[in-house]
Amino acid sequence: MQAAQTWQSVQHEVLRRIHAREWKPGDLIPNEAELAKELGCARTTVNRALRSLAERGLLERRRKAGTRVAAQPVAKATLNIAVIRHEVEDRGARYGYQLALREARVAPTHISAALGVGVQDRLLHVVALHLSDDAPYALEDRWINAVHVPAALEQDFRSISANEWLLQNVPYTRGEISFAAKPASAENAKHLNCPENSALLAINRLTWDHEQSVTAVQVLFAPGHHMRARI
Amino acid sequence: MQAAQTWQSVQHEVLRRIHAREWKPGDLIPNEAELAKELGCARTTVNRALRSLAERGLLERRRKAGTRVAAQPVAKATLNIAVIRHEVEDRGARYGYQLALREARVAPTHISAALGVGVQDRLLHVVALHLSDDAPYALEDRWINAVHVPAALEQDFRSISANEWLLQNVPYTRGEISFAAKPASAENAKHLNCPENSALLAINRLTWDHEQSVTAVQVLFAPGHHMRARI
DNA sequence: CATGTTTTTATGTGTATACATAACAGCATG
DNA sequence: CATGCTGTTATGTATACACATAAAAACATG
């Protein structure tokens, strides 16, 4: 073997050996220096290839211990959570938006607790419906930490969704996201134009800017919605 | 600014500027050479830092065009789809496994079509329940392409789940995954010990080994299940 | 023999350098 | 004026080299 000058070609060769079971799950593979010599390239190049495979979860690397083929390759599905408008437009549909509710009020305790604000603090609550070719696509129910983001109180969110406005105007440094299935409440069902108790895909997000919470949002998708990803 | 000797520190500094809105969404940032000079490190180091931020979706890079802060940072949620046994054990619960069905038969047409096999081919159909502390955790309904993986016909899947056996024994080169919410059928409800039509989180996976399909599986999680991820 | 220390080793990273490549801009030519 | 060429520029990557660091293994010492 020789002349594998690019890190991609090294990666392909390593992948080939894994898929061909020349290197089986759990096996220790040759170290970087040996592979570099065998494949006729620099160790840096091998490192680049192996590091990227490790990031994808196919290899497990530890200093001194060496590199081994992941025993049970944890499939990493990367979901792109885009602005809902873009998601709809990317499917080639016409996007529509309807503000359903906008109020500044004291939040239920589970919300103020999640956002780490006082139970007396007034937060901004926005509910909006996103449409795809005039059909209900997703229902967004959002609480914005108005203490940290007072500018949100100036916005009426009639023509731009809170989803989009926040992304453009308020940075965040970290966030949590979770996926679940939920039955449609009577209120949900009315907005999404579906039977009550329909199974809805729910995405909950909570974002923070350093130590300050920014927003907590639940997005409920219309029945039948799928989120797809590559492995 | 100087003495930012590690790519992580360069990355932190870049992140700081983005979060502090010194570089706003859509802005073109200085090129690698300039940043390297300003921060007092090699261009390679800057490259390492920026490449990794681009992979995370915070920067958009194009040759010659330069690097800009992502206008609408598409949040990338990376979900780790582990072996179900590990998922349960990682939560500190006792794992249990019950095989519900194992049969070799001609598959429904939507399955044989998805797997790209002939409508006459006999496939292996396995249904199993995964338990967490004796409570139903997830219901796995799987079809295995027995034409490509004849060894699966030798396995009874009584003590090891198909989930785990396949990962250890059959490689795949690519796959698709999708998430949805589905109402529990009468059959599902019985297995998962929940009311019929409960909202269930469903994960569908289809994997391929080069041009051959390997398996199509649907995993239905018990009501209330959440999948979590960081952003 | 148990426990702490040193050595060795594999990966991780920083540097300087060189060349490759994509893409834009401007120029030339029909 | 459209179309194609050509140079310039920013990122992408390969190389050799050096040193850092984590961790296993070997060793020493009470």
Side-chain angles (χ1 to χ4, degrees):
Chain A
M1 178 59 54
Q2 46 97 29
Q5 276 87 348
T6 75
W7 69 266
Q8 287 96 336
S9 64
V10 172
Q11 191 172 81
H12 275 131
E13 174 59 17
V14 170
L15 276 174
R16 190 192 64 71
R17 293 184 188 187
I18 293 175
H19 290 146
R21 291 300 209 238
E22 285 174 32
W23 293 340
K24 300 192 185 62
D27 280 5
L28 200 62
I29 76 174
N31 70 38
E32 295 185 348
E34 285 170 46
L35 273 175
K37 195 179 155 197
E38 186 199 345
L39 300 174
C41 65
R43 185 172 76 88
T44 324
T45 308
V46 174
N47 181 282
R48 178 79 172 84
L50 299 186
R51 173 160 42 84
S52 141
L53 288 174
E55 278 166 12
R56 283 166 52 183
L58 273 89
L59 295 177
E60 282 166 8
R61 321 193 72 196
R62 263 170 54 229
R63 279 187 182 170
K64 160 73 186 170
T67 300
R68 50 182 71 238
V69 179
Q72 313 227 299
V74 174
K76 298 197 176 180
T78 303
L79 291 168
N80 292 334
I81 318 292
V83 171
I84 297 176
R85 179 166 63 82
H86 293 169
E87 212 175 294
V88 169
E89 287 170 353
D90 283 353
R91 297 182 178 216
R94 189 161 20 86
Y95 174 74
Y97 169 76
Q98 280 172 13
L99 181 66
L101 175 76
R102 182 196 176 286
E103 55 175 1
R105 51 164 284 208
V106 166
T109 51
H110 74 278
I111 297 286
S112 48
L115 288 172
V117 298
V119 287
Q120 308 280 8
D121 288 325
R122 282 157 64 86
L123 304 183
L124 189 62
H125 184 206
V126 177
V127 177
L129 186 64
H130 300 265
L131 306 160
S132 171
D133 280 342
D134 298 322
Y137 179 81
L139 182 63
E140 173 187 352
D141 187 326
R142 182 184 295 270
W143 290 85
I144 301 174
N145 182 352
V147 179
H148 180 57
V149 192
L153 295 168
E154 313 296 317
Q155 270 290 330
D156 65 10
F157 296 118
R158 269 188 228 180
S159 53
I160 186 174
S161 71
N163 181 275
E164 218 160 325
W165 183 83
L166 280 169
L167 269 178
Q168 278 167 22
N169 294 280
V170 187
Y172 64 89
T173 52
R174 65 198 163 86
E176 290 163 33
I177 190 163
S178 82
F179 301 82
K182 291 188 63 170
S185 69
E187 183 82 8
N188 298 156
K190 200 184 72 193
H191 282 120
L192 291 171
N193 193 26
C194 68
E196 205 173 327
N197 291 320
S198 298
L200 304 179
L201 184 62
I203 297 188
N204 275 280
R205 251 176 305 174
L206 186 57
T207 57
W208 299 76
D209 182 17
H210 298 96
E211 294 317 305
Q212 286 284 320
S213 65
V214 175
T215 186
V217 61
Q218 175 173 82
V219 177
L220 293 172
F221 290 93
H225 184 80
H226 281 69
M227 296 205 63
R228 280 169 237 279
R230 284 284 155 71
I231 301 190
Chain B
M1 178 62 53
Q2 46 97 29
Q5 276 84 355
T6 75
W7 68 266
Q8 287 95 335
S9 66
V10 171
Q11 192 173 80
H12 275 131
E13 174 59 17
V14 171
L15 276 174
R16 191 194 63 71
R17 293 185 188 184
I18 293 174
H19 291 147
R21 292 295 209 243
E22 286 174 31
W23 293 338
K24 301 193 186 62
D27 279 5
L28 200 63
I29 75 173
N31 69 38
E32 294 185 348
E34 285 171 46
L35 273 175
K37 195 178 155 200
E38 186 199 345
L39 300 175
C41 66
R43 184 171 77 88
T44 324
T45 308
V46 173
N47 181 282
R48 178 81 171 82
L50 299 187
R51 173 160 41 85
S52 141
L53 288 174
E55 278 166 13
R56 283 166 53 185
L58 273 90
L59 294 177
E60 282 166 9
R61 320 193 73 195
R62 266 173 50 234
R63 280 188 182 170
K64 160 72 185 169
T67 300
R68 50 183 71 238
V69 179
Q72 312 229 299
V74 175
K76 297 195 176 180
T78 302
L79 291 169
N80 291 335
I81 317 292
V83 171
I84 298 176
R85 179 166 63 81
H86 293 168
E87 212 174 295
V88 169
E89 287 170 353
D90 283 353
R91 297 182 177 217
R94 187 161 22 83
Y95 174 74
Y97 170 76
Q98 280 172 13
L99 181 65
L101 175 74
R102 183 196 176 286
E103 55 175 1
R105 52 165 285 207
V106 166
T109 51
H110 73 278
I111 296 287
S112 49
L115 288 172
V117 298
V119 287
Q120 309 280 8
D121 288 323
R122 280 157 64 87
L123 304 183
L124 188 63
H125 185 203
V126 177
V127 178
L129 186 64
H130 300 265
L131 306 160
S132 171
D133 280 342
D134 299 322
Y137 180 80
L139 182 63
E140 172 186 352
D141 187 326
R142 181 184 297 270
W143 290 85
I144 301 173
N145 181 352
V147 179
H148 179 58
V149 192
L153 295 168
E154 314 295 318
Q155 270 289 329
D156 66 10
F157 297 118
R158 268 187 229 181
S159 53
I160 185 174
S161 71
N163 181 275
E164 219 160 322
W165 183 83
L166 280 168
L167 268 178
Q168 277 167 23
N169 294 282
V170 187
Y172 65 89
T173 51
R174 65 199 164 86
E176 291 163 33
I177 190 165
S178 81
F179 302 82
K182 291 188 64 170
S185 70
E187 183 81 7
N188 298 156
K190 200 183 71 193
H191 282 120
L192 291 171
N193 192 27
C194 67
E196 203 173 328
N197 291 321
S198 298
L200 304 178
L201 184 61
I203 297 188
N204 276 279
R205 251 176 305 173
L206 186 56
T207 57
W208 299 76
D209 183 17
H210 298 97
E211 295 317 304
Q212 287 284 320
S213 66
V214 175
T215 186
V217 61
Q218 175 172 82
V219 178
L220 292 172
F221 290 92
H225 184 81
H226 281 70
M227 297 205 62
R228 279 168 237 279
R230 283 284 156 70
I231 302 189

